[in-house]
Amino acid sequence: YAFNGRIHPLRNAPYLYYLSAALDILTRHRLTFWEIQNACLAFSLTAAGLACYLGLRKGAGCPPLLSFLLSSAYVISPALLGAAYSFDLFMTVYASPFVPLAVASCVRGCVRPSFSADAWLAASLAGAWLAHPPVALWLTVGVVVVRAAVFLRKPSWKVLASGTCALGLGAIL
């Protein structure tokens, strides 16, 4: 059993263990199991808002106010909050910071191909796989379909090489 009484094997969602251990150490072991779980949820939601804001600013080039409003809407959306509070799908919330980063990196890589965008994409997908494999699976499939469609529309060896390097980086991560 995990720290909160549920079964979460390490191979399934190690992000939960790493984050809860880090928060436990930072708080000097003063929090109960449930407080650690709530702190992990709060941290992940805050990180999701920041990741969405940065993704909108860097990936899509949105103005600051619009990015703030859209990232706030992402964090307080019923789809995200309902996953935690109605269905106890905490792993979905833990994966929420990585989704906007992956989408923004995919958009940026389609508009302006670069190794930087592909590396951010690989890192965000790797983080999603650590947090919650089912979310990471549909996110990875979606990104691959979009990137393949863009490549087939306008083939380029540079884009193919950059994508291949990022795939290797993602596999290592």
Side-chain angles (χ1 to χ4, degrees), residues 8-18 91-102 119-144 166-173:
H8 299 296
L10 183 59
R11 72 183 190 289
N12 186 16
Y15 176 81
L16 169 66
Y17 291 105
Y18 300 148
M91 301 302 164
T92 302
V93 177
Y94 296 149
S96 64
F98 303 109
V99 174
L101 288 177
W120 274 102
L121 179 61
S124 59
L125 288 176
W129 278 100
L130 285 175
H132 192 44
V135 170
L137 179 64
W138 66 256
L139 187 60
T140 303
V141 168
V143 164
V144 167
L167 180 65
L169 177 63
I172 290 170
L173 290 174

Side-chain angles (χ1 to χ4, degrees), residues 78-79 81-90:
L81 292 180
Y85 297 117
S86 296
F87 304 112
D88 290 337
L89 299 174
F90 301 126

Side-chain angles (χ1 to χ4, degrees), residues 4 10 24 33 39 42 45 49 53 64 67 77 97 104 116 138 141 170:
N4 60 0
L10 183 59
D24 191 37
F33 299 137
L45 287 171
Y53 178 81
S67 296
S77 69
S116 172
W138 66 256
V141 168

